[in-house]
Amino acid sequence: MASKAGAGFEMKDVEGRVVSFESLRGKVIFLNIWATWCPPCIAEMPNIQSLYEKVGSEEIAFVMLSVDRKGLDKVKKFIARKGFTFPVYLPISQIPEEFNSPSIPSTYIISPEGKIVAQQSGMAEYDTPEMRNFLLKLAKKTTNPLTPAK
C-alpha cells in the first residue's frame, strides 16, 4: 500500500504547538506552501482567506505552511498585519518529498484517505464555486450520514 501524503511530517502552529500532519487524517486538507517574501504567495492569500471563511470546517483543514527561514515571529507579525485567520504552520521536520515543488506558492488538496487529489504550482484563484464544491464533495464522502449536521 502506498504511504499517505505527509506521513511522519511535523509542523508547529503560530503559537508554537507541534502538530503532526497525520493528526489531520480523515479530513480534506488544503495545503498551501508559501513565504512572506514571495509576491505571488501574498497576492493569492486574500482569496485563500475568503475560501477558508466559506468552507473551513471540522471536515476541511487548511494548512498554510510557511517556508520562511526567518522564523515564527516574522510569520506571526505578517499574518496579524494582514488580518488572516486561516491556520498557519511552519515545518519542524523536512517537508515530505511529495510536497516538493519547483516553485511557491504550491497548493495540494489531500483526500481524507491521505491521497493528493489536486496540485497547483504557482499562483491561482481558489475561492471559486468549482473549488468550493470540489472540497465540500470530498468532505461529504467522509461525513457519517447518521450524524446530524451542525
Side-chain angles (χ1 to χ4, degrees), residues 84-149:
F84 295 133
T85 59
F86 44 57
V88 175
Y89 302 89
L90 284 92
I92 297 175
S93 60
Q94 186 171 342
I95 295 176
E97 202 172 298
E98 61 268 26
F99 302 143
N100 278 344
S101 171
S103 65
I104 59 171
S106 286
T107 301
Y108 302 85
I109 308 296
I110 301 148
S111 73
E113 298 76 39
K115 292 186 172 61
I116 296 172
V117 294
Q119 182 176 349
Q120 167 72 34
S121 290
M123 192 175 128
E125 187 172 327
Y126 294 105
D127 187 15
T128 64
E130 295 78 18
M131 178 56 79
R132 289 191 299 270
N133 289 338
F134 179 68
L135 292 171
L136 292 168
K137 274 189 180 144
L138 262 179
K140 280 203 173 75
K141 288 181 185 172
T142 65
T143 308
N144 180 340
L146 302 175
T147 307

